[in-house]
């Protein structure tokens, strides 16, 4: 009964109302230049099995990045609405959770939530799309310092990497490559998102990659390099 309710809410509220609003907003904001997009031609044409890996400068990416899929994927095929991996502390047991849980995979921070990883992999195996944030924490805006609050001090080369233009990203864990390597047919698209204000956002989309079956450690290192190169295209 709970699953039936979630399906009904997804199609009637999440997809029809929330998804349409986000999709229309995405198209309008990009047309007006409030959301500057580079590399839109890189977004895959295949239907389903897309793993969109993004940096994570603030909470809104879960919704904004849905806009990439709206016209190209799920406006006529609602089941291709992307699943988003989100921090349980931010999106679990909130008043709005029932309206979006039909496409939400709640995870504990730190990348050790095996159950959320299992669910995410099952969605890709079933032909769905997935939005993930492999840093496991917040990305600083622009070329700023890393956010404070972690238990260990920030040591260059250990906790984060720096691009040529000074943009930083947290070092990825090997688990970040699971979605890219364990399901056949999945293409991985790495994007870099920057948010300065509601009227000034930038999104850069890299070329899609097929990492299926490759060594996870090597893939993580390659993903990190792609993130840094994509970040440099913002400037």
């Amino acid at each position: 009964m709970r699953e039936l309710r979630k399906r009904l809410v997804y199609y009637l509220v999440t997809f029809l109302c929330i998804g349409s609003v986000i999709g229309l907003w995405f198209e309008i904001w990009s047309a007006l230049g409030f959301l500057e997009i580079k590399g839109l031609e890189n977004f895959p044409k295949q239907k389903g099995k897309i793993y969109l890996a993004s940096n994570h400068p603030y909470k809104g990416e879960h919704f904004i990045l849905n806009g990439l899929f709206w016209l190209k994927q799920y406006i006529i095929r609602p089941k291709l609405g992307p699943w988003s991996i989100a921090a349980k502390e931010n999106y679990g047991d909130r008043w709005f959770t029932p309206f979006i849980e039909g496409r939400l995979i709640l995870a504990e921070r730190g990348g050790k939530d095996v159950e959320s990883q299992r669910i995410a992999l099952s969605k890709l195996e079933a032909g769905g799309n997935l939005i993930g944030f492999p840093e496991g924490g917040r990305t600083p805006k622009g070329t700023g310092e890393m956010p404070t609050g972690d238990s260990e001090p920030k040591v260059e080369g250990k906790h984060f990497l720096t691009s040529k233009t000074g943009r930083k990203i947290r070092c990825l864990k090997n688990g970040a490559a699971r979605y890219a390597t364990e399901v056949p047919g999945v293409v991985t698209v790495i994007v870099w998102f920057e948010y300065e204000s509601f009227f000034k956002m930038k999104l850069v989309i890299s070329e899609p990659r097929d990492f299926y079956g490759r060594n996870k450690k090597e893939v993580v290192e390659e993903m990190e390099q792609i993130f840094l190169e994509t970040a440099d295209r913002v400037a």
Side-chain angles (χ1 to χ4, degrees), residues 53-63 65 85-87 89-91 109 131-141 146-147 168-170 172 191-195 227:
S54 174
N55 65 315
H56 194 20
Y58 97 124
K59 294 180 182 179
E61 298 92 347
H62 298 89
F63 305 105
L65 293 176
I85 302 173
E89 63 189 71
N90 294 329
Y91 293 93
R109 285 194 183 279
I131 298 174
F133 305 92
E135 286 180 277
R138 197 77 75 233
T139 309
K141 294 181 180 179
M146 291 297 293
K168 294 179 174 64
I169 188 170
R170 295 172 186 270
L172 309 184
V191 302
W192 185 272
F193 181 79
E194 287 194 359
Y195 177 92
F227 265 117

Side-chain angles (χ1 to χ4, degrees), residues 10-171:
Y10 170 69
Y11 282 102
L12 297 178
V13 180
T14 313
F15 163 70
L16 195 59
C17 299
I18 301 175
S20 296
V21 168
I22 292 174
L24 286 169
W25 171 85
F26 187 92
E27 297 298 324
I28 293 170
W29 242 236
S30 58
L32 293 175
F34 298 141
L35 174 59
E36 181 184 334
I37 303 176
K38 293 182 180 180
L40 187 58
E41 68 279 1
N42 291 328
F43 193 80
K45 293 180 173 58
Q46 75 176 45
K47 305 301 181 184
K49 288 196 171 185
I50 297 172
Y51 169 40
L52 191 76
S54 174
N55 65 315
H56 194 20
Y58 97 124
K59 294 180 182 179
E61 298 92 347
H62 298 89
F63 305 105
I64 293 172
L65 293 176
N66 268 267
L68 279 171
F69 293 84
W70 188 62
L71 280 179
K72 300 176 181 294
Q73 293 280 324
Y74 75 100
I75 190 172
I76 58 174
R77 299 183 68 185
K79 71 176 184 177
L80 292 180
W83 291 84
S84 291
I85 302 173
K88 190 174 182 179
E89 63 189 71
N90 294 329
Y91 293 93
D93 297 324
R94 301 297 181 91
W95 65 268
F96 53 79
T97 302
F99 301 109
I100 60 175
E101 65 179 350
R103 278 300 181 273
L104 206 60
I105 301 173
L106 297 176
E108 302 288 348
R109 285 194 183 279
K112 297 181 180 180
D113 191 336
V114 177
E115 178 61 16
S116 66
Q117 293 180 17
R118 184 194 65 76
I119 294 173
L121 285 168
S122 72
K123 302 307 180 185
L124 287 172
E125 289 168 351
N129 296 312
L130 180 68
I131 298 174
F133 305 92
E135 286 180 277
R138 197 77 75 233
T139 309
K141 294 181 180 179
T143 56
E145 294 299 317
M146 291 297 293
T148 59
D150 286 351
S151 58
E152 298 182 58
K154 299 295 182 297
V155 179
E156 181 68 32
K158 179 180 179 182
H159 294 282
F160 65 91
L161 302 168
T162 307
S163 75
K164 293 179 180 178
T165 57
R167 289 170 169 80
K168 294 179 174 64
I169 188 170
R170 295 172 186 270
C171 293

